[in-house]
Amino acid sequence: MDSNERRVMRVVMMLRLTVFIAFVFQVNGQGVGVRNVPTVSYKQQDMKLQDGKLGQPAVHHQQGLDPAKENMQQKHGAGGTGRQPGAGKPAAFRLSESRECADDIVKHCNPKIYKNNFAILDCLQNDIKIMEDLSEVCQHFIWKYKLNLTRDDRFDYAAGEVCKQELSQNEECSQLEKGKGLIIPCLVDNIVNITGNCRTYLEKMARIVFSDYRLIFHFVDQCNADIQQFGCGRVAPLDENDVHSQGKTLECLADKIGDLHDGCRKQLLRVAELQADDYHLDRQLYYACREDREHLCADVPAGGGKIYECLFKHKFDNTMSAKCKEMLTVRQQLIAQDVKVEKTFYSACRRDMKEHHCFKKDTEEGGDFRRANILLCLENAIKTEKQISPECQAEMAELRQELMEDYSISPEILTDCKTEIMESCDKGLERGGKTIHCLMDLARPARDQRSHKQQKTMSAKCRRALEALIQEADPASDYRMDRVLQKACEPVVQVGCKHVQPGDARVISCLMDHLDSEIMNDECEERLMEIQYFVARDFRLDQQLFKKCRRPARELCGIKGDWLESRHKDDKKPAYVVACLFRNFKQEKEKKGRKGDPANAEKGVSKQCKNEIKRVMKQRAQRVQLKPEIEQACLRDLGMHCSESDDPGANQEISCLQEHYDQLDPECQDVIGNFTEDEDEMPELDIILMKACTPMINKFCDADEEVDGDDTDDIMECLIENKNRKDMNEKCRAGIEHHQLISMKNFRFDHKFKEACKRSVSKFCKNRKTKNEVISCLSEHVRNDTLLDEKQRIDRVCRKQLRVEVLERGEDIHLDRKLEDACHDDIKQKCQGVDSGNAKMIECLKSHQKSLSPKCHKVLFKREKEEAVLGDYKVHSVCKRMIKMFCNEDDMEEDEILPCLKKNKDRPEFDEKCHQLIVKREIAENKDYRLNPELQKKCRLDIPKFCSDILKAQKNDNELQGKIVTCLRKKFAVKRLSRECNLVIRDIIKDSAHNYMEDAVLASACEGEIIKYCGDEHEMAMKGRNSESRNKVEMVQVQDGSGKVVECLKQKFLNRIITNTVCKQEIERVIQESQIDINVDPLLHMTCQRDLQKFCGDLEPGEGHRMACLLAELEDHPKQISEKCLKELEKRKLLWELAAQGKPIEGFHDVYQQIVASPSKNYLLFVICSIIGVFFLVGITCGRVSKRVAKQNKMK
């Protein structure tokens, strides 16, 4: 210590000592009684202490000193400890004149302080090197001198005067025997409650007391056994010459504080509390950090714990010595046991601790002052929106930063995580928070570890200690509390969160929102995930969530509403609070429907809590490790199915588990199923989808607000509806398809479908699990009820949603796993390169239906039957505008929409693409009546009556190739059908007249003739050679809208060119059908429209009335009919006659029908009647002759 430093120290000491009352012995040997001495200055105090009889060591033979030393002391003026003040006037004693220490004082101390014994003590004690350099005789002499100072009765009397009021208030200290050196240590022990002159005096004495633990009141009594047990030093006189090492005893005990007896532990903490005000009193720390204080905290004044605070802040500076760091760590470990050891913190927060009852005197005698208890108590007050002073909050923040920086100041981490630190965290050499983050990384499951070469597991004790530390430090509420996190994420914060004010977890939330953005760096992401891993497992660590949701968490999830609750060592509830709250949030709609239920209303999830739940669910959906319920159940499956990627991105692991849903363990299946349900109900949980589709949502779904608002149910429906638009983003389309594919694995993954149909499913489809199975099951019930015209067993709400699901399934073959598997080979052979979406692949398979494998044909035909009743995606997609224009979709059942479109397809304003598609569907329906629900319903009695032979011979899963429809058409021609069925068949005949392909039997029977004789149509067929296997006639199926092919075949038939018997029979059938009703002959109807209006306008269409009227007019007044109509009628008469010739007569009814239908029916009737008349006359005549002959024979 140089002279300038000594001057500064002396000035500080003089200022601190303002009043001191004590007994005085003058330098010249004149004694002054204690009661006669007024208040004096620092120099006067020092002079008093230089009194020979007081100042010199009281050495006696029984204390083990030899006579030579005793004589030496008597020469300087021996004084006993039992002398009364003023008992003589010996010469003043000075340490600088002592034989034992004179040489050492000259060697190490400034001559200017030789007359000041206290300054000499400071000189010899303030530097550990000087203490070690002192001779053993001098060390022993100084220790005896200090011991006498604390035990001299005159000091006790002086303390009685200076601290008279304090002693009167402290019964324990006032009753101690004077002259035993007990009073001053006792007062020092209570220095916290002492002020004024007494405190100044005691602070001076404390420098002496705390230099050796044996001088501390009650310390030896309480800690002797522990000192011996842990080898922290000896109390025997043999150690008295090793006084300078006694501070190490305190250090040793502090290191073993967790194992000390309660009495010794309290004494050690009490010593630390008393040292808290001035770091000079902690001699070991003072020795270790003296130089560090000079260059790191030179401008910080001593007192009030300021030096400690400054040194703690610089603990990880590279310039700080290792020994100082070590001693600061020991000090911080003591703070962990008693916050009063931290002077600045205790002073700032004392009132708040008292106000919020943080001492817990009911659980521990004298109160629980452990740092964890106090800090958690104060944090609980903040979390529960109680008042904490700004000063205390500032100190709390500093303490929390220290906890996250240095694991060694947390006794539980140091003890319980010792193995993990040594084996996995570089033996704890990395400070500044890196070791704690290493432990956080180790706490995560092995698949998530990035920094450990060998996968190691963390012990349960270490995990609990780490959880307790994170709750205590609470870094999730303010990223600045974690210096490692702050350093790693500062670049991200400056770009993405610079406008976010720190505190209340706002910055952490902002960082989570940018987790997979371009501005996020790898280091920040890792550190953030290490913190969030623990936050996700205790909802109290998310400040905003806890604040907004603690009431419903208490009422609905069984969690205490108090932030400061038990640590839940084995309780899993805190990890699943968010899941529990979300479940109740999903049930909110049902609760709203329960009117007059105030209990449910009170226990509902508030709007603020809902918003927080959505935020947390959205953020945590990005990583499996943030979903504890998934991670715990699916750890094995993650390793088995999803371990290929070392760095899984947003939602990748969850997507992987969803894709392998069928292979997961039952427990994992259950939690993934729950999450997938949540994801469907709350699309923002699908991070990949929302990242790609947010612009599309804003574009197509009228999303004026953000998608995480209250109304998110229709978002996926909107995206699916617009999936195939040209301006749809490809990534968004892929995300939508993934969502659809996942939803097909289980019907409950589509929450709207599940909610709409859960009653019907539980009643009619109980054992079905996959969505396709449920759709097929429900579709079968709807179809059967529809066709039998019975009351629907499936309610209207479910039927409406079922329509949506059937339409969605029909859009992409990948969404129909059963169909895709059945047609796998057919797709490769016949539809290679065709897109799977927008129903293109399914339409391709339909166009090759005749050549499909039996397995594929069977499933495809079943799907067609379901679509006919519940919805055809292609029709809804292509004809969306026409449906809206001509058909009230909301009021119509699905089986009514296609008939509506068919009725309006020939309107001028009807869309051409839709028209072509409707014709295709008509062709398919006419090939098999089971695809035409309207025909099945209206002809349900006619089909088994007239076509039973066909039904018996045909298999259920094979198409009937138009046989049933042809059977009914034949009965139409002879007017045998019921009225409703007759109308349906009439429309079919009419449509087939426009397009021959709608007459499946005719198209098949006359395929060769069409190609050979109907050249124009043949040329049109040749335009589409894209498929060699396709029937060439089918290529023109939508091009023959004017009925030219049918007219061509009729003309060839009339000219007797067609020789194919089967084809001729089918043409004859078509001609005869047109003879029954003019409406089924579009060319004749159009040509004779004016004549019909003129001559037959008062007749209702149907049953051939108008055709008979027109023919009668032709017979009676041929000149009144228009030329064109007359020409067509003449042509039709020839066709009818020719057709009649070729038709085989199967019975009397056929004869009658041919006569009635014949244009010459009147003539034929006349001829028949004439013949009958002739036979009648002949019979009468011949009969009488024969009768007369018989009579004559009889008479003979």
Side-chain angles (χ1 to χ4, degrees):
M1 181 184 294
D2 54 27
S3 58
N4 291 332
E5 184 177 350
R6 293 192 186 95
R7 291 193 198 97
V8 171
M9 184 170 291
R10 291 185 64 185
V11 170
V12 171
M13 294 169 65
M14 290 174 66
L15 291 174
R16 295 179 64 188
L17 184 59
T18 58
V19 180
F20 183 80
I21 302 176
F23 53 88
V24 179
F25 287 92
Q26 298 294 335
V27 178
N28 59 4
Q30 296 178 355
V32 180
V34 172
R35 293 171 178 81
N36 298 327
V37 179
T39 309
V40 293
S41 67
Y42 173 84
K43 286 188 176 181
Q44 289 174 318
Q45 175 200 352
D46 189 58
M47 291 171 64
K48 297 172 204 168
L49 295 176
Q50 291 175 7
D51 175 82
K53 295 186 179 180
L54 176 64
Q56 77 179 54
V59 182
H60 303 281
H61 288 292
Q62 66 270 26
Q63 293 174 309
L65 289 182
D66 56 64
K69 290 184 179 180
E70 185 177 355
N71 292 335
M72 179 273 295
Q73 291 167 358
Q74 291 174 351
K75 179 179 178 181
H76 289 288
T81 59
R83 300 216 17 212
Q84 299 294 328
K89 301 178 181 178
F93 170 76
R94 295 191 179 95
L95 285 173
S96 60
E97 296 176 357
S98 66
R99 182 181 61 185
E100 291 80 2
C101 292
D103 294 339
D104 295 288
I105 292 170
V106 170
K107 180 178 179 181
H108 297 291
C109 302
N110 194 314
K112 295 181 180 180
I113 65 170
Y114 284 174
K115 295 181 179 181
N116 188 328
N117 286 348
F118 275 112
I120 291 175
L121 284 177
D122 282 338
C123 168
L124 297 179
Q125 291 185 142
N126 280 354
D127 194 325
I128 189 66
K129 293 181 180 179
I130 295 177
M131 285 290 291
E132 292 174 349
D133 192 48
L134 295 180
S135 64
E136 292 186 5
V137 176
C138 180
Q139 289 184 27
H140 182 75
F141 185 82
I142 289 174
W143 188 83
K144 282 295 185 180
Y145 178 76
K146 292 188 293 181
L147 182 63
N148 282 339
L149 289 180
T150 60
R151 296 184 178 180
D152 194 286
D153 57 349
R154 287 170 292 179
F155 270 96
D156 287 348
Y157 281 109
E161 291 298 324
V162 178
C163 304
K164 183 176 181 179
Q165 182 180 354
E166 285 76 7
L167 281 171
S168 65
Q169 296 174 353
N170 191 313
E171 184 177 351
E172 181 186 11
C173 297
S174 62
Q175 292 179 358
L176 293 173
E177 182 182 354
K178 295 180 175 62
K180 298 295 185 179
L182 301 178
I183 294 178
I184 291 177
C186 179
L187 288 171
V188 170
D189 192 45
N190 293 276
I191 197 170
V192 174
N193 301 318
I194 297 174
T195 58
N197 297 335
C198 180
R199 184 182 181 91
T200 305
Y201 170 64
L202 293 176
E203 285 177 346
K204 189 68 178 176
M205 294 304 298
R207 295 285 185 88
I208 299 172
V209 172
F210 290 116
S211 66
D212 196 306
Y213 71 89
R214 292 169 294 183
L215 304 180
I216 300 171
F217 182 58
H218 281 331
F219 189 87
V220 173
D221 297 339
Q222 297 290 342
C223 292
N224 187 20
D226 294 284
I227 292 172
Q228 300 293 347
Q229 179 181 349
F230 297 111
C232 293
R234 287 181 292 170
V235 191
L238 292 176
D239 291 313
E240 291 175 358
N241 62 344
D242 193 23
V243 177
H244 68 276
S245 68
Q246 296 308 315
K248 294 182 180 179
T249 298
L250 298 178
E251 178 186 347
C252 173
L253 291 174
D255 190 49
K256 304 288 185 180
I257 191 168
D259 301 320
L260 300 180
H261 293 94
D262 288 343
C264 183
R265 184 175 64 84
K266 290 180 180 179
Q267 286 296 320
L268 183 63
L269 293 175
R270 187 61 180 157
V271 170
E273 290 175 24
L274 298 173
Q275 294 170 340
D277 190 57
D278 190 347
Y279 96 114
H280 292 87
L281 303 183
D282 189 340
R283 304 307 291 174
Q284 288 298 109
L285 187 145
Y286 172 72
Y287 293 146
C289 298
R290 184 170 170 272
E291 293 182 0
D292 300 284
R293 185 262 169 121
E294 290 301 321
H295 73 267
L296 293 174
C297 307
D299 299 329
V300 179
K306 298 297 183 183
I307 300 295
Y308 287 124
E309 186 177 5
C310 176
L311 291 172
F312 289 153
K313 289 180 180 178
H314 292 87
K315 183 176 178 181
F316 293 103
D317 283 9
N318 294 329
T319 57
M320 179 171 280
S321 64
K323 185 63 178 175
C324 182
K325 291 180 180 179
E326 182 182 345
M327 294 310 301
L328 288 172
T329 299
V330 172
R331 185 79 190 172
Q332 289 173 313
Q333 291 170 351
L334 293 174
I335 293 172
Q337 300 296 324
D338 188 347
V339 291
K340 290 187 287 183
V341 177
E342 174 62 280
K343 180 71 175 181
T344 53
F345 177 81
Y346 184 69
S347 299
C349 297
R350 186 176 183 181
R351 288 185 178 180
D352 298 288
M353 287 188 283
K354 185 176 181 181
E355 181 180 348
H356 299 294
H357 309 289
C358 296
F359 298 140
K360 291 187 178 179
K361 292 186 178 181
D362 56 331
T363 59
E364 188 168 332
E365 185 180 356
D368 186 355
F369 290 92
R370 287 175 299 174
R371 178 189 61 207
N373 166 54
I374 300 298
L375 196 55
L376 289 174
C377 175
L378 294 173
E379 287 177 356
N380 179 59
I382 295 174
K383 305 282 187 184
T384 52
E385 300 178 335
K386 297 176 183 176
Q387 291 296 322
I388 296 291
S389 64
E391 297 81 6
C392 182
Q393 290 192 42
E395 288 299 325
M396 288 172 64
E398 290 190 13
L399 184 54
R400 288 160 58 194
Q401 286 179 335
E402 292 174 8
L403 288 170
M404 289 302 297
E405 272 192 305
D406 191 357
Y407 76 94
S408 62
I409 68 175
S410 300
E412 294 88 353
I413 295 291
L414 203 61
T415 304
D416 297 338
C417 298
K418 183 177 181 180
T419 302
E420 287 81 357
I421 292 172
M422 295 299 291
E423 293 181 356
S424 303
C425 299
D426 199 21
K427 300 182 179 180
L429 296 178
E430 289 187 342
R431 299 293 178 91
K434 292 183 178 180
T435 300
I436 290 176
H437 271 274
C438 171
L439 290 173
M440 289 182 187
D441 190 28
L442 190 66
R444 297 186 292 175
R447 62 183 183 83
D448 284 322
Q449 295 173 10
R450 304 280 183 256
S451 58
H452 306 302
K453 293 181 181 179
Q454 296 181 345
Q455 296 181 349
K456 299 184 180 298
T457 57
M458 175 175 279
S459 66
K461 288 178 65 178
C462 179
R463 184 180 294 273
R464 286 196 292 269
L466 189 58
E467 290 171 353
L469 172 65
I470 292 172
Q471 186 183 6
E472 192 177 340
D474 195 18
S477 65
D478 191 339
Y479 86 117
R480 295 171 299 180
M481 299 300 101
D482 187 347
R483 297 287 174 81
V484 173
L485 177 65
Q486 183 182 16
K487 182 179 179 181
C489 295
E490 194 61 32
V492 184
V493 173
Q494 291 302 320
V495 176
C497 309
K498 60 182 178 181
H499 299 302
V500 179
Q501 187 175 357
D504 283 344
R506 287 184 289 266
V507 174
I508 292 284
S509 182
C510 176
L511 289 172
M512 287 297 294
D513 290 337
H514 288 86
L515 189 60
D516 288 289
S517 67
E518 296 179 355
I519 64 173
M520 178 61 65
N521 60 63
D522 293 340
E523 182 69 14
C524 177
E525 180 180 339
E526 274 300 302
R527 302 293 81 80
L528 188 61
M529 285 298 97
E530 288 163 357
I531 294 289
Q532 287 296 316
Y533 179 81
F534 289 90
V535 175
R537 282 152 181 78
D538 191 341
F539 92 112
R540 296 167 298 169
L541 298 180
D542 190 312
Q543 187 165 342
Q544 290 300 319
L545 179 66
F546 177 79
K547 185 185 296 184
K548 298 292 192 304
C549 297
R550 61 191 179 98
R551 180 187 60 78
R554 180 180 66 248
E555 295 173 351
L556 302 172
C557 305
I559 298 295
K560 295 181 180 178
D562 193 2
W563 190 81
L564 180 59
E565 56 180 304
S566 62
R567 296 289 175 85
H568 294 276
K569 292 183 179 180
D570 301 311
D571 189 4
K572 299 177 182 178
K573 283 184 179 179
Y576 305 137
V577 172
V578 175
C580 169
L581 289 172
F582 188 72
R583 291 283 171 270
N584 284 277
F585 165 44
K586 291 206 308 183
Q587 297 168 6
E588 198 68 24
K589 293 180 181 178
E590 296 181 9
K591 291 183 178 181
K592 285 181 180 179
R594 300 174 190 169
K595 296 181 180 179
D597 191 353
N600 285 328
E602 290 177 3
K603 290 188 177 182
V605 181
S606 66
K607 185 175 181 179
Q608 293 83 359
C609 181
K610 288 179 185 177
N611 292 334
E612 286 303 313
I613 293 171
K614 289 181 179 180
R615 173 187 65 82
V616 171
M617 290 286 288
K618 178 181 175 182
Q619 292 175 349
R620 295 182 185 178
Q622 301 181 77
R623 299 290 188 276
V624 164
Q625 59 181 290
L626 302 184
K627 305 284 293 180
E629 67 276 13
I630 293 179
E631 184 182 59
Q632 184 174 351
C634 300
L635 196 57
R636 178 178 173 275
D637 295 288
L638 282 165
M640 182 178 297
H641 304 296
C642 312
S643 59
E644 295 181 0
S645 176
D646 292 332
D647 187 17
N651 217 33
Q652 292 290 344
E653 289 178 316
I654 292 178
S655 295
C656 172
L657 290 173
Q658 289 173 330
E659 289 171 3
H660 294 86
Y661 178 79
D662 297 330
Q663 291 84 45
L664 301 179
D665 291 338
E667 186 180 2
C668 182
Q669 260 192 358
D670 187 49
V671 294
I672 288 297
N674 290 337
F675 177 81
T676 307
E677 283 187 68
D678 298 342
E679 194 175 55
D680 183 72
E681 189 167 355
M682 188 177 169
E684 48 269 51
L685 296 184
D686 192 337
I687 306 301
I688 301 174
L689 176 71
M690 297 311 297
K691 186 176 181 181
C693 292
T694 297
M696 300 297 101
I697 292 171
N698 295 331
K699 186 173 185 178
F700 299 128
C701 306
D702 296 326
D704 296 328
E705 300 178 358
E706 292 188 9
V707 293
D708 57 350
D710 290 335
D711 299 323
T712 59
D713 285 357
D714 298 327
I715 288 177
M716 283 311 306
E717 198 170 318
C718 168
L719 289 174
I720 291 169
E721 186 179 348
N722 292 278
K723 182 179 78 169
N724 294 298
R725 293 183 61 154
K726 293 181 179 179
D727 47 353
M728 170 62 73
N729 181 286
E730 284 298 325
K731 290 184 177 179
C732 180
R733 181 182 288 113
I736 297 168
E737 289 175 352
H738 174 268
H739 179 92
Q740 290 178 294
L741 288 170
I742 296 303
S743 70
M744 300 305 292
K745 293 180 179 292
N746 195 308
F747 99 99
R748 66 190 180 98
F749 293 169
D750 186 331
H751 82 282
K752 292 188 75 174
F753 186 35
K754 184 189 76 171
E755 291 301 319
C757 296
K758 58 184 178 183
R759 291 183 182 177
S760 299
V761 172
S762 62
K763 187 174 182 179
F764 302 110
C765 310
K766 194 171 184 179
N767 297 323
R768 309 304 200 278
K769 289 186 178 180
T770 69
K771 188 176 177 182
N772 268 329
E773 289 175 346
V774 173
I775 291 174
S776 295
C777 174
L778 294 175
S779 298
E780 186 176 354
H781 285 83
V782 172
R783 179 174 174 273
N784 292 339
D785 292 341
T786 301
L787 299 180
L788 296 174
D789 206 17
E790 296 178 351
K791 182 180 178 181
Q792 289 286 350
R793 290 169 289 176
I794 308 302
D795 60 85
R796 183 174 178 81
V797 175
C798 180
R799 294 201 309 273
K800 185 175 181 181
Q801 188 61 37
L802 182 60
R803 176 199 295 183
V804 174
E805 303 306 328
V806 171
L807 292 175
E808 183 179 328
R809 183 186 64 179
E811 183 270 332
D812 193 330
I813 195 170
H814 293 323
L815 302 179
D816 193 339
R817 185 68 177 271
K818 188 175 181 179
L819 177 62
E820 186 179 24
D821 291 344
C823 299
H824 181 267
D825 295 335
D826 300 271
I827 291 171
K828 283 187 175 181
Q829 294 172 10
K830 299 175 175 61
C831 302
Q832 188 75 30
V834 178
D835 291 339
S836 63
N838 205 19
K840 291 181 179 179
M841 182 65 72
I842 295 176
E843 289 298 309
C844 174
L845 291 173
K846 288 179 181 178
S847 67
H848 294 84
Q849 201 151 5
K850 289 177 65 176
S851 59
L852 295 178
S853 64
K855 186 178 179 182
C856 177
H857 186 281
K858 179 179 178 180
V859 180
L860 182 62
F861 184 64
K862 185 178 180 181
R863 292 294 181 264
E864 287 183 293
K865 290 191 290 183
E866 292 172 352
E867 289 176 353
V869 176
L870 290 163
D872 186 328
Y873 170 81
K874 197 67 176 179
V875 170
H876 279 265
S877 175
V878 175
C879 300
K880 182 178 180 181
R881 189 168 59 87
M882 297 299 100
I883 293 173
K884 190 174 182 181
M885 183 182 297
F886 298 110
C887 312
N888 190 347
E889 186 178 12
D890 294 333
D891 295 333
M892 280 188 174
E893 293 292 344
E894 183 60 36
D895 62 302
E896 297 173 334
I897 291 178
L898 188 58
C900 170
L901 292 172
K902 289 194 290 186
K903 289 177 182 178
N904 293 278
K905 74 176 187 299
D906 294 320
R907 286 175 176 261
E909 64 270 30
F910 202 86
D911 180 73
E912 181 60 27
K913 287 185 178 180
C914 180
H915 181 275
Q916 293 177 7
L917 181 62
I918 296 304
V919 171
K920 282 186 177 181
R921 292 298 181 261
E922 287 178 332
I923 293 171
E925 288 178 348
N926 293 338
K927 285 183 178 179
D928 198 306
Y929 79 104
R930 289 170 290 185
L931 302 181
N932 189 339
E934 184 184 27
L935 185 146
Q936 289 186 82
K937 285 193 293 183
K938 294 184 177 180
C939 298
R940 65 180 182 276
L941 299 177
D942 300 84
I943 293 172
K945 181 178 180 181
F946 301 117
C947 312
S948 58
D949 294 340
I950 300 173
L951 292 176
K952 290 177 182 179
Q954 198 69 27
K955 295 181 180 179
N956 288 332
D957 299 322
N958 292 337
E959 288 177 298
L960 296 171
Q961 296 300 325
K963 294 178 182 179
I964 294 293
V965 175
T966 301
C967 170
L968 294 173
R969 290 176 69 158
K970 289 179 180 179
K971 300 306 175 183
F972 171 84
V974 294
K975 300 183 180 180
R976 299 283 301 277
L977 299 178
S978 64
R979 182 176 177 80
E980 287 187 342
C981 184
N982 189 78
L983 294 174
V984 175
I985 296 300
R986 187 191 69 180
D987 290 337
I988 291 175
I989 296 172
K990 178 183 175 182
D991 291 330
S992 65
H994 284 282
N995 191 316
Y996 76 98
M997 283 303 299
E998 295 194 37
D999 190 337
V1001 176
L1002 173 70
S1004 176
C1006 300
E1007 178 180 351
E1009 285 70 15
I1010 292 172
I1011 296 173
K1012 184 176 182 180
Y1013 301 117
C1014 301
D1016 293 340
E1017 287 71 19
H1018 182 261
E1019 289 298 323
M1020 292 190 324
M1022 291 297 98
K1023 291 180 180 178
R1025 295 176 180 265
N1026 57 327
S1027 177
E1028 294 181 1
S1029 63
R1030 184 194 290 185
N1031 184 337
K1032 291 183 173 62
V1033 178
E1034 293 182 9
M1035 297 180 186
V1036 297
Q1037 57 186 308
V1038 297
Q1039 303 294 333
D1040 186 33
S1042 59
K1044 291 181 180 180
V1045 172
V1046 175
E1047 288 300 315
C1048 172
L1049 289 172
K1050 288 179 181 179
Q1051 187 64 43
K1052 301 303 178 184
F1053 175 76
L1054 183 62
N1055 297 334
R1056 302 180 185 273
I1057 296 174
I1058 296 176
T1059 58
N1060 184 342
T1061 304
V1062 178
C1063 179
K1064 285 172 63 177
Q1065 290 176 353
E1066 294 305 320
I1067 295 173
E1068 289 170 355
R1069 173 182 57 80
V1070 171
I1071 294 170
Q1072 290 166 357
E1073 289 170 353
S1074 65
Q1075 187 178 357
I1076 299 300
D1077 194 334
I1078 195 171
N1079 291 298
V1080 300
D1081 189 339
L1083 184 59
L1084 179 62
H1085 184 270
M1086 185 179 296
T1087 306
C1088 298
Q1089 191 169 10
R1090 290 183 179 180
D1091 300 275
L1092 284 170
Q1093 194 70 26
K1094 180 178 179 181
F1095 302 114
C1096 311
D1098 56 338
L1099 297 176
E1100 291 185 4
E1103 297 185 359
H1105 297 309
R1106 304 185 80 181
M1107 175 66 81
C1109 170
L1110 192 60
L1111 290 174
E1113 194 64 31
L1114 174 65
E1115 189 77 21
D1116 299 335
H1117 308 95
K1119 294 183 179 181
Q1120 294 183 13
I1121 297 176
S1122 63
E1123 184 180 352
K1124 289 183 178 180
C1125 181
L1126 181 63
K1127 185 178 180 180
E1128 281 299 322
L1129 280 173
E1130 292 293 344
K1131 182 179 177 181
R1132 289 296 184 265
K1133 285 177 64 177
L1134 293 174
L1135 286 171
W1136 294 335
E1137 290 173 359
L1138 185 60
Q1141 294 175 9
K1143 181 183 178 185
I1145 297 176
E1146 298 176 357
F1148 179 76
H1149 187 268
D1150 288 343
V1151 174
Y1152 171 75
Q1153 290 294 334
Q1154 285 196 14
I1155 292 172
V1156 171
S1158 173
S1160 305
K1161 64 181 178 180
N1162 293 331
Y1163 172 75
L1164 290 173
L1165 287 173
F1166 173 76
V1167 171
I1168 291 171
C1169 290
S1170 298
I1171 293 172
I1172 293 172
V1174 170
F1175 275 108
F1176 180 73
L1177 292 173
V1178 171
I1180 292 174
T1181 303
C1182 296
R1184 283 186 175 273
V1185 173
S1186 61
K1187 188 174 181 182
R1188 188 179 301 116
V1189 172
K1191 187 176 179 181
Q1192 290 175 356
N1193 291 334
K1194 184 176 179 182
M1195 291 178 68
K1196 286 180 180 180

